[in-house]
Amino acid sequence: MASKEYYELYRQSSIGLALIDTLDSMVHEGRIEPQLAMKIVSTFDRVITEVLADKVKARLSFKGHLDTYRFCDEVWTFLIKDANFKLDNQTNIQAEKVKIVSCNSKKPGET
């Protein structure tokens, strides 16, 4: 069975960075092999994608000033200034700058 590839963008999240930092320390200390660390990161890519798709049902809306946008390699990137987010529970969150990265649920070439 061919393994499906997943986007690596969650590696730059706070939990992804913490995982990679921890694995890097364990490799440098000789506690795990580099190949195992790569397997763990690959599993993280799969699991975080599946969990966010299946378990997160919250919705939000937002308004702001679109500063920059780009579309490259099937990935949209939006830079929003003075963003105002409204959550399901009517909570409002404001941010000076926000970067939104949006990817297709399937990678190019997948059916």
Side-chain angles (χ1 to χ4, degrees):
M1 180 170 123
S3 66
K4 182 178 177 183
E5 290 186 38
Y6 292 86
Y7 287 108
E8 299 175 0
L9 72 114
Y10 295 111
R11 293 180 185 186
Q12 295 302 312
S13 67
S14 56
I15 192 169
L17 291 172
L19 173 65
I20 291 169
D21 186 47
T22 300
L23 291 172
D24 189 47
S25 294
M26 293 176 80
V27 168
H28 280 74
E29 293 169 2
R31 295 171 59 192
I32 63 172
E33 295 294 319
Q35 296 84 356
L36 178 58
M38 293 299 293
K39 175 88 171 146
I40 292 169
V41 171
S42 179
T43 301
F44 169 78
D45 293 337
R46 177 182 56 82
V47 171
I48 193 89
T49 300
E50 291 172 355
V51 167
L52 290 174
D54 294 340
K55 304 293 182 192
V56 177
K57 303 299 181 201
R59 300 219 182 249
L60 65 84
S61 61
F62 67 92
K63 291 182 182 180
H65 301 284
L66 181 60
D67 184 53
T68 307
Y69 67 94
R70 67 181 72 93
F71 182 69
C72 182
D73 296 331
E74 300 291 321
V75 176
W76 280 101
T77 303
F78 302 94
L79 300 175
I80 313 291
K81 287 188 175 180
D82 302 319
N84 184 21
F85 294 87
K86 190 174 195 178
L87 306 177
D88 275 346
N89 63 5
Q90 302 303 312
T91 301
N92 286 318
I93 300 173
Q94 294 182 338
E96 187 176 318
K97 293 185 216 173
V98 175
K99 180 179 182 180
I100 298 172
V101 179
S102 176
C103 305
N104 247 337
S105 61
K106 294 185 180 184
K107 285 194 159 189
E110 285 184 347
T111 56

